[in-house]
């Protein structure tokens, strides 16, 4: 019988996260105070983030950071997640490639986001914080943080991007079942939201607007901190549990990936699966192809500019050195809400610049075509975000079919799409479309950035 | 670190199902031809079910039935499912009881139903069948069969109970993504459906109506067979993989259950977790408490009558010896669609009659209260059906709190509720109600049965 699924025994579970910053040849450029343009120190972030996350954000020296026991205990509820050999997909594509995926969709909240939510909630609790805020797009991160808050006894307020709030009412319900307060963004509950709605009453929201509102709430609420589900270095750090497990699981399978693929919004699931493998590229020159699959409607890595920009629409964040489409960029209403973000994290931006990885753009219709094919082949309905990774994987596997190459491809299935069935409905009914971004639009948004 | 999750290594996976019929002291009464009232033989079922399932249905001699390798390969995609120690729930309830649950929600389609769907689709394929039909309530079984059909290359047509078709549009979408044809029942596509709609144009459907339609389609379509997701002996047989795994996993945890609980519709998930443990009660007199948790609005085990009755509304099936509310019983529109069935399987009915198990009735509001509490404590949003098992578990755990007894309670989490968030929404908004059944209504339905 062919072995299809690989799971680590508890004794083999990683007890440290991997901090790629320590090993990078060119460190990420510093993040800057937008007024003085001076590099920030960890302490400068303390009013926004909890102290430990702020320190992790700036840590460029320690390659390994211990996972607190309380977090490992919570990880054990759903980790190790399965590494799966996608025999069904290989057969459907008739490819000589060996395709594996890391199945993060088995997390109780349905995606990889819980890996960082638990860590951030834990560190906040340790510091005596009582309230946390965040933004969410499709709601994967918001659902994860809502549950993590409940686990560690914190109150949680989530700003959800308005278009996703309306497209995906079930994710809002999930957050509410976990006891979180959910507000569609832009809202009238913050100055940032009011300012946006005054100029554009029908603004559909973006991660940029929701971040502004959540930060404002954190800054104006006693004993409250903000948390973010992607982009930042400490989030990527927590997500490396994915790749660290996968590395050992690939060993169980007796193979090593030639190509590693993940969808790309701000970088959390990409970093999570890629960095632990990339350390061998950086340190030992191991040749591995890393592909970030972004939506064609929000192509920061392939069509954006590497520059300093704000992380949010209102300009509340420090200036981040990153590939960006401009912080005022308003992404089209694609269903992959988690990928509707204008910028890439500082680490991943530097790695992209230094040629360690590449990026591809996937059209919305191609993403759903790939997701539907995957569902039929493997039985799992993928999140619209994850469909982008699957589309890129299929493209690579079909190249192998042409060349006869037996590449080993590993992709990250970041989450399931059970809450996104209305998107699949629309796709099956022919009601979805592609969105192309005009270069002129990107240039306009980048003016003055 | 406390171990929370127990998973069998692949080498320990069961390769046989357990057939409790072989060990039962009082065998289930025979099923009868409704016209002649003669007991049926396996061959009599061949026009409806595939041959191997028909033989398994009648097998009262072999205690162990080999799981075909092709089915075990597909099981390996998601099994062994985790056995989880519910520390979070124990803490919330402040109970000395040890609570474990078997997490069948991690199956790609979200419930235990896949265990039998894969087996039935496989056997149909082996026999050269090309088309299969079925009924579904909430859609858990329909989704499972749709995917299993895709796996083994069969065409699949599903009749979904109308009220569930409308309440849970996402499950319909899931079936459609897997390529199945889905029709709300009662429909005008069959004689049975037309007859029902002629008398009651607003009939909301029940599993009984949908079964009639699916059987009729199977009987009138070339090379087509009917499949059922619960009630029948061969379905219970396939589901014993749950309990067989759980038994070994409890051993890993170093404990043995005093009480085993599952929700109860037709009996598939109850049988699955209970029978492998019950064999020790039957054969060695081991004392274990088995509790079936049924909805108060469809209380066949506690308020029904043990008698011969049809399995479907139109009376197409053979006569089954079972606890029943009468095959014309129309259950209230509770969200736990999978529990809206008038009868119990023949094996479970005999076991109930012989005192091996007990049953409790759970009100809809209590079920959602329990499910919400569980979600906050364990991070998993349970299916409305599974909420009934959780409510019964909480009741038992609170009794332990009173008495100080450190009972070990094991329940089956048959599925997740991510497709049922609208039900949770309504619950949180105070929009759900209880439904009580009048004894006179049951008596009326049982007249002439």
């Amino acid at each position: 019988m062919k072995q299809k699924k690989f799971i680590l025994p508890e004794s083999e579970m990683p007890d440290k996260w991997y901090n790629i910053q320590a090993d990078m040849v060119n460190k990420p450029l510093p993040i800057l105070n937008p007024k003085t343009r001076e590099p920030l120190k960890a302490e400068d972030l303390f009013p926004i983030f909890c102290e430990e996350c702020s320190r992790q954000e700036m840590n460029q020296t320690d390659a390994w950071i211990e996972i607190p026991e309380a977090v490992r205990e919570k990880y054990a509820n759903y980790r190790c997640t399965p590494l799966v050999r996608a025999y069904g997909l290989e057969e459907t594509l008739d490819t000589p490639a060996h395709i594996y995926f890391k199945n993060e969709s088995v997390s109780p909240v349905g995606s990889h986001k819980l890996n960082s939510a638990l860590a951030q909630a834990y560190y906040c609790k340790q510091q005596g914080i009582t309230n946390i805020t965040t933004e969410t797009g499709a709601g994967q991160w918001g659902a994860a943080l809502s549950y993590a808050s409940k686990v560690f006894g914190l109150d949680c307020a989530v700003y959800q991007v308005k278009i996703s709030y309306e497209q995906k009412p079930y994710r809002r319900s999930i957050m509410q079942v976990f006891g979180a307060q959910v507000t569609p963004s832009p809202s009238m509950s913050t100055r940032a939201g009011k300012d946006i709605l005054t100029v554009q009453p029908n603004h559909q929201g973006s991660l940029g607007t929701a971040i502004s509102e959540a930060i404002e709430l954190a800054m104006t609420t006693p004993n409250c901190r903000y948390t973010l589900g992607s982009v930042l270095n400490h989030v990527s750090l927590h997500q490396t549990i994915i790749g660290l497990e996968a590395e050992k699981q690939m060993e169980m399978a007796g193979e090593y990936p030639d190509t590693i693929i993940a969808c790309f919004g701000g970088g959390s699931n990409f970093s999570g699966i890629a960095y632990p493998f990339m350390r061998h590229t950086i340190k030992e020159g191991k040749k591995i192809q890393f592909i970030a699959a972004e939506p064609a409607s929000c192509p920061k890595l392939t069509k954006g500019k590497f520059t300093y920009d704000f992380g949010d629409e209102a300009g509340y964040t420090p200036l981040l050195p990153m590939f960006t489409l401009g912080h005022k960029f308003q992404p089209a209403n694609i269903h992959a809400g988690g990928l509707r973000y204008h910028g890439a994290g500082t680490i991943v931006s530097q790695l992209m610049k230094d040629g360690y990885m590449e990026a591809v753009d996937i059209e919305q219709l191609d993403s759903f075509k790939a997701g539907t094919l995957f569902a039929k082949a493997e039985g799992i309905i993928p999140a619209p975000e994850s469909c982008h990774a699957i589309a890129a994987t299929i493209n690579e596997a079909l190249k192998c079919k042409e060349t006869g190459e037996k590449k080993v491809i590993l992709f990250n299935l970041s989450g399931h799409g059970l809450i996104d069935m209305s998107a699949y409905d629309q796709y099956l009914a022919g009601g979805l479309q592609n969105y192309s971004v005009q270069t002129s639009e990107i240039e306009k948004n980048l003016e003055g950035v």
Side-chain angles (χ1 to χ4, degrees), chain A residues 140 171 381-388 413-418 420 424:
Chain A
Q140 299 267 28
R171 271 249 172 63
I381 294 180
E385 291 83 0
S386 314
C387 288
H388 290 73
L413 183 74
S414 56
H416 66 64
L418 295 175
D420 306 279
Y424 279 92

Side-chain angles (χ1 to χ4, degrees), chain A residues 198-275:
Chain A
T198 305
V199 181
Q200 272 186 271
N202 292 320
H203 197 297
Q204 293 295 294
S206 68
L207 287 167
T209 67
I211 292 173
S212 295
E213 294 206 271
I215 292 181
E216 187 179 321
L217 184 66
M219 304 285 281
T220 55
T221 305
N223 213 12
C224 182
R225 289 295 182 283
Y226 168 69
T227 66
L228 188 66
S230 189
V231 182
L232 296 176
N233 303 344
H234 64 276
V235 181
S236 299
L237 173 74
H238 305 151
Q239 293 295 353
T240 58
I241 186 79
I242 302 172
L244 292 167
E245 284 177 4
E247 198 180 11
K248 292 186 178 191
Q249 289 167 299
M250 287 299 306
E251 205 179 315
M252 289 172 79
E255 302 217 75
Y256 200 89
D258 299 302
T259 300
I260 294 176
I261 298 174
C263 66
F264 196 90
S268 78
N269 96 92
F270 176 84
S271 310
I273 193 146
Y275 292 173

Side-chain angles (χ1 to χ4, degrees), chain A residues 138 166-169 171 333-337 364-365 367-369 372 381-385 387-388 416-433:
Chain A
E166 283 159 6
Q167 275 176 345
K168 298 170 203 289
R171 271 249 172 63
N333 294 339
I334 57 169
H335 281 274
Q364 173 155 273
L365 291 179
S367 74
F368 278 100
K369 185 177 170 195
T372 305
I381 294 180
E385 291 83 0
C387 288
H388 290 73
H416 66 64
L418 295 175
I419 306 299
D420 306 279
M421 292 315 300
S422 66
Y424 279 92
D425 256 9
Q426 288 174 44
Y427 170 70
L428 292 177
L432 289 190
Q433 61 176 104

Side-chain angles (χ1 to χ4, degrees), chain A residues 328-350:
Chain A
K328 300 268 184 207
F329 181 79
Q330 285 176 29
N333 294 339
I334 57 169
H335 281 274
L339 308 185
R340 295 175 72 251
Y341 185 67
H342 66 278
T346 65
I347 294 176
V348 85
S349 292
Q350 188 63 45

